[in-house]
Structures are given as structure tokens and as C-alpha cells.
Amino acid sequence: DAGITQSPRYKITETGRQVTLMCHQTWSHSYMFWYRQDLGHGLRLIYYSAAADITDKGEVPDGYVVSRSKTENFPLTLESATRSQTSVYFCASSDPTGATLSGANVLTFGAGSRLTVL
Amino acid sequence: KQEVTQIPAALSVPEGENLVLNCSFTDSAIYNLQWFRQDPGKGLTSLLLIQSSQREQTSGRLNASLDKSSGRSTLYIAASQPGDSATYLCAVMEYGNKLVFGAGTILRVKS
């Protein structure tokens, strides 16, 4: 199916465990992003990637690791989960060139991954 | 650091009313401004994108304006319907295709 998919949609884990959230997009968008959404803070950027093998920190990167070996995948790893990382995580992608149907610079979001750290 | 503020935080209106949601941002060096809709427990859906050189964009009953010099945008919803009930998010795009979001306006349209 075309689009951007996140997995898992729901995850419960314990403090100290490693967790990986997956993101896959089928449009060949060059840019991909990870945001977290928390009450009182809105959406905050964790990491982003301009292309395969190029990643950069956003506003709240501490405690997270990303990689982008292929254009279509952008996994987010919590190396040692903490309670403060309980949140809803959204992956997004965009195409700055306007060559794809979504339009230049329009971010398209996945459905989100709800993570609870006990 | 860019900051985006949305007013009001919540709004409840009867069906059929026209309404305005407000968004302000502190740094006018933006590439574009985007409005999103988010339904409870769902992802974000793009509504409108206004390039920094544009003044407004329209889509159906929605009209968004941008005054970059004053750091303000408004989203106008005409003839509101219960199906418009959602959270509306404003975001500005900075260098690197990054979006900075406001906290959103929760809209409830009563039938």
C-alpha cells in the first residue's frame, strides 16, 4: 500500500529496555522526520533526515538514535527507555522538490505509535 | 528560537457559524506555513500550505492567510459543521524542511 506506515501502533515496555519504532514510506520522499507529541508541549522534533545516510538532531534528541540506510525507512531507537519517553511518536516525510503528488514541502504523517514506559 | 502560539486553545461554536483560528510566530524567516487537522487518536492531515511569498490559500470552506511581516496567520472556517470538530495545528517551516508547531486549537462544533 502506498503511504507512510508506522509500527508498532502501540507498545508497552519497561524502564531500561531498548525499543525501536519503525517508519516506512513508499513515495521516495527525501526528507523524513520523527516527532513526539505530549500534552502541554505539542509536537516536538526529535530527529530528521534529508536523505539516506544523512541525519540530524532536532529539538529533543537526547535518549534517541536514528539511522537511514535506505530512503524508505527511518527507524527510531530508544536505547534505554525512560518514563519521560512515554509519548505518541509520529513519523513524517516530505519532498522539497514538488515532484511527488503530495506537493512540495507538504509533510505527510503516519498514524502514530503510542509508547508507554512503565 | 522559533516559537509558535495558537489562540484560542479551545473553541466551542454552534453549527453553521463562521470562525477564525489564530496563529502567531516569532521569527519571520520562514519558508511556508502549514495548517493541519488532527482527529482524536489519529495522525495529522495537511489542510493548507501557504508559501512565504503568498498571502492566502483556499480549499473549500477553509481559507488561510499569512502576514509574514507581523508573524501572523489565520485559518477561517466558513459554515462550520460537526465534522469539523478536531484539533487544528499551525506549523512554520524553517531551514532544513523542519516544521515548528503550535500547541493547537481544539475545536468543537455543536449540532
Side-chain angles (χ1 to χ4, degrees):
Chain A
D1 290 337
I4 183 165
T5 55
Q6 294 183 230
S7 62
R9 292 290 316 281
Y10 302 92
K11 176 74 175 179
I12 300 174
T13 191
E14 295 178 337
T15 301
R17 290 193 182 262
Q18 183 179 84
V19 176
T20 296
L21 306 180
M22 304 300 294
C23 180
H24 175 78
Q25 53 108 351
T26 60
W27 295 298
S28 298
H29 284 173
S30 57
Y31 275 87
M32 295 189 76
F33 308 85
W34 274 105
Y35 286 87
R36 61 177 290 175
Q37 186 175 34
D38 306 285
L39 282 174
H41 289 283
L43 279 96
R44 294 178 291 174
L45 182 64
I46 304 171
Y47 269 96
Y48 67 104
S49 168
D53 297 322
I54 300 175
T55 62
D56 210 344
K57 296 178 181 179
E59 182 185 353
V60 288
D62 293 343
Y64 303 95
V65 175
V66 293
S67 62
R68 195 161 176 213
S69 57
K70 294 183 178 181
T71 299
E72 61 267 29
N73 296 324
F74 191 39
L76 176 74
T77 297
L78 289 67
E79 292 191 304
S80 178
T82 65
R83 290 194 182 88
S84 65
Q85 293 178 309
T86 292
S87 185
V88 181
Y89 292 84
F90 287 101
C91 178
S93 68
S94 71
D95 166 29
T97 68
T100 60
L101 290 177
S102 59
N105 294 324
V106 175
L107 265 70
T108 304
F109 283 79
S113 294
R114 184 175 294 275
L115 176 67
T116 301
V117 183
L118 302 176
Chain B
K1 177 186 171 186
Q2 177 78 265
E3 292 184 0
V4 180
T5 303
Q6 291 187 245
I7 294 173
L11 182 63
S12 181
V13 300
E15 182 177 5
E17 271 204 8
N18 302 324
L19 58 98
V20 175
L21 308 182
N22 297 291
C23 173
S24 61
F25 48 95
T26 55
D27 187 346
S28 62
I30 64 171
Y31 286 89
N32 62 56
L33 183 144
Q34 301 185 32
W35 284 93
F36 293 86
R37 168 184 173 137
Q38 185 177 28
D39 294 292
K42 305 290 186 182
L44 281 70
T45 301
S46 178
L47 296 174
L48 290 164
L49 182 152
I50 311 176
Q51 299 292 352
S52 61
S53 58
Q54 296 176 321
R55 297 285 292 182
E56 66 178 328
Q57 279 286 340
T58 298
S59 176
R61 294 183 293 108
L62 305 179
N63 176 277
S65 68
L66 174 63
D67 184 342
K68 201 175 84 162
S69 61
S70 68
R72 293 180 181 178
S73 175
T74 62
L75 179 67
Y76 176 82
I77 302 177
S80 59
Q81 303 170 358
D84 295 330
S85 298
T87 297
Y88 290 81
L89 296 159
C90 166
V92 296
M93 180 166 282
E94 300 186 314
Y95 173 77
N97 245 32
K98 297 178 290 182
L99 284 179
V100 179
F101 282 85
T105 294
I106 302 171
L107 173 64
R108 180 185 172 210
V109 181
K110 299 172 287 186
S111 57

